[in-house]
Amino acid sequence: MIVVDAASGVPPYEQLRAHFASRIADRSMAVGERLPTIRSLAAELGLAVNTVARAYRELEDAGLIETRGRAGSFVSAAGEQARERVRRAAEGYAAVALAAGIDAAEALRIVEAALRPGTSSIPGR
């Protein structure tokens, strides 16, 4: 079940993106699984179609889903490749942090801050 908290400081599209990204990451949504249509999900959640479309666009940009025209949107196998890229990047980051004398706790705080919506310097976030 998807819940969007209208009182949250996190925009609805980001709540949706994070929900699906989390379910894909923990494999509770399998590769090839179809997502609800944008219109049906917008109606179900009482959101604008453009809000749901933005969440899906960001998931697609991240390689987590793929859109197959009128057939709909599906969990992408590319998500596994993205996970591997992130793992390799994390290894590189850990090496840089250790070389700079940053301890693990501080290095994790830096990553957590970068992952928070609205606080990251990552383009598109």
Side-chain angles (χ1 to χ4, degrees):
M1 178 174 181
I2 302 170
V3 176
V4 175
D5 180 3
S8 171
V10 178
Y13 79 88
E14 176 59 23
Q15 292 179 52
L16 281 177
R17 187 211 59 78
H19 169 82
F20 284 115
S22 174
R23 291 200 51 218
I24 292 167
D26 72 11
R27 294 179 173 83
S28 60
M29 288 188 77
V31 170
E33 185 172 337
R34 187 170 192 241
L35 279 69
T37 66
I38 291 172
R39 289 186 189 279
S40 69
L41 187 57
E44 177 184 330
L45 298 175
L47 297 172
V49 171
N50 287 338
T51 299
V52 177
R54 179 170 179 186
Y56 278 32
R57 227 179 4 262
E58 292 202 6
L59 290 164
E60 190 163 27
D61 289 347
L64 297 175
I65 68 170
E66 59 186 42
T67 301
R68 301 177 191 159
R70 297 186 64 89
S73 298
F74 299 82
V75 175
S76 171
E80 292 300 317
Q81 295 165 350
R83 184 175 283 110
E84 179 58 23
R85 283 194 319 269
V86 170
R87 187 194 62 72
R88 286 192 309 267
E91 287 178 349
Y93 172 71
V96 169
L98 290 171
I102 296 174
D103 67 30
E106 184 178 357
L108 289 172
R109 283 192 302 274
I110 293 168
V111 170
E112 288 168 348
L115 291 171
R116 268 187 239 114
T119 62
S120 175
S121 61
I122 299 169
R125 297 271 312 175

